[in-house]
Amino acid sequence: MITGRRMTTNLLLTLLAAASTANARAGTSAAEPGIGVGPQYDTTHVYIKAADFDRFVGSFTATLGGKPSPRIPSVLTPTPSKAEFQYVWTPAGTLSTFAFSTPIPYPFGLERTGWLVTDLDRALKLARDNGAEVIVEKWPDPIGYDAIIQWPGGVKMQLYWHFNTPHYEPLEAIPETRVYLTRDLGDTFLHSILGFSQGRIVSDDRTADGAELGKPGETFRRVRLESSFGKMQVNVTDGHLPYPFGYEITGYEVKDLDAALAKATAHGVATLSPRFDGADRNSIIVEFPGGYIAELHQIRPRQVAITNRHDDN
């Protein structure tokens, strides 16, 4: 999360309190098992130029619904920097968006997501115990603490913890973190992330259709996971990927892919890949104004065979 200047601390606390109230469920929400709080609290990090901020946020919410928070000037890092920060809430997932007006300190900008945890010290120990590196040690912000970790294969993410956990409505569709890995470290990463997240493998297809990644006639290994942090698709490949595959870090589920694409196109979104119609989903890679690349997919209903029975009565 963020480290505010003294003058922005009260504003940030007010903003987050208002957001929590606006998104609060009636009554007390049930605690998630393990260290994950829930996928509605986990955000994709998007770094964007200030000149593209409004176009990007407007296009994203026009495509997926939802609304942005007010935009506030902030210090986002443990070392001096300046940026504009804005949450973007949608029914299909949440963004943390940043526009820096100073050079971005390393390794910020390389982390893919921010995951809210129930206890940051415990989460960092669990991450280390499962093979992750802590590449930015814990630092304080006005509402909690943050750290950045790196998993085997170079996958970077931010972990954060709040003094007071917000309470947001559950998402209508849980976004899917998309990870590309080599055959050398695919199993190592899976072992690490599952041990940390206490998640489970939903499917492990070692001969998935390569057309999903722009390589018809070939196969790759596709592993889908679920945990209290949400969904993840791990693509284990030979690294021979046509553009833009590998640049998308999140996949968003929509109810109607054609309708979502029509909205997206009307708001400046470019299509970067051929549409893929798979056995269980239809998908496509798009680029929003400002350069954010994402996957959109529609789940296809399972075909259930119906057998007519005839009684000889």
Side-chain angles (χ1 to χ4, degrees):
M1 290 301 298
I2 61 177
T3 303
R5 289 175 285 185
R6 288 194 299 270
M7 295 300 293
T8 64
T9 300
N10 291 337
L11 175 60
L12 177 59
L13 291 171
T14 300
L15 166 63
L16 289 174
S20 297
T21 301
N23 290 280
R25 282 181 266 179
T28 303
S29 59
E32 294 287 341
I35 58 170
V37 181
Q40 66 267 43
Y41 304 99
D42 303 325
T43 70
T44 298
H45 286 196
V46 179
Y47 289 70
I48 198 163
K49 293 180 179 178
D52 295 323
F53 221 142
D54 288 332
R55 285 196 310 131
F56 165 66
V57 172
S59 176
F60 193 79
T61 54
T63 302
L64 295 174
K67 62 181 180 179
S69 74
R71 196 173 301 161
I72 58 173
S74 308
V75 176
L76 300 163
T77 61
T79 54
S81 65
K82 294 181 181 180
E84 295 285 314
F85 168 78
Q86 188 171 42
Y87 279 120
V88 182
W89 290 284
T90 82
T94 305
L95 304 180
S96 291
T97 56
F98 317 111
F100 275 78
S101 57
T102 61
I104 304 173
Y106 181 85
F108 292 87
L110 301 178
E111 82 284 1
R112 310 160 56 87
T113 52
W115 283 5
L116 179 64
V117 296
T118 57
D119 182 320
L120 186 56
D121 291 330
R122 180 182 165 218
L124 292 177
K125 181 181 186 304
L126 190 59
R128 285 184 166 115
D129 289 347
N130 282 281
E133 303 171 76
V134 179
I135 59 175
V136 179
E137 296 280 357
K138 183 175 76 172
W139 79 92
D141 67 37
I143 58 172
Y145 289 94
D146 314 85
I148 295 181
I149 62 174
Q150 176 173 280
W151 296 104
V155 178
K156 299 174 179 62
M157 64 174 57
Q158 188 162 332
L159 302 179
Y160 69 99
W161 173 83
H162 284 338
F163 297 121
N164 297 301
T165 302
H167 297 287
Y168 299 162
E169 288 284 356
L171 298 171
E172 292 180 9
I174 297 174
E176 194 172 68
T177 298
R178 291 173 63 86
V179 175
Y180 287 76
L181 290 167
T182 65
R183 294 167 181 168
D184 293 334
L185 289 176
D187 284 323
T188 303
F189 173 83
L190 288 167
H191 183 269
S192 294
I193 200 70
L194 287 169
F196 172 78
S197 67
Q198 302 177 30
R200 66 185 183 92
I201 293 177
V202 176
S203 65
D204 186 349
D205 187 348
R206 294 175 180 268
T207 57
D209 187 350
E212 183 178 341
L213 304 184
K215 301 182 70 175
E218 301 185 30
T219 62
F220 71 103
R221 182 183 179 190
R222 183 189 62 219
V223 187
R224 290 179 176 147
L225 317 176
E226 289 184 359
S227 74
S228 58
F229 293 104
K231 298 180 179 180
M232 178 177 290
Q233 176 167 312
V234 179
N235 302 315
V236 182
T237 79
D238 59 7
H240 300 176
L241 298 170
Y243 180 84
F245 296 96
Y247 283 101
E248 83 286 4
I249 60 176
T250 303
Y252 299 95
E253 181 183 338
V254 297
K255 294 179 180 178
D256 185 323
L257 185 57
D258 290 331
L261 286 174
K263 292 178 183 177
T265 301
H267 289 85
V269 178
T271 299
L272 299 185
S273 74
R275 173 177 166 140
F276 171 72
D277 294 328
D280 64 345
R281 64 173 62 180
N282 305 326
S283 62
I284 199 165
I285 307 294
V286 299
E287 181 177 8
F288 289 87
Y292 176 56
I293 297 175
E295 186 249 26
L296 303 177
H297 62 267
Q298 174 187 345
I299 302 299
R300 301 180 68 175
R302 292 183 178 181
Q303 300 297 319
V304 179
I306 299 176
T307 301
N308 292 323
R309 293 182 58 188
H310 299 279
D311 295 327
D312 297 325
N313 291 334

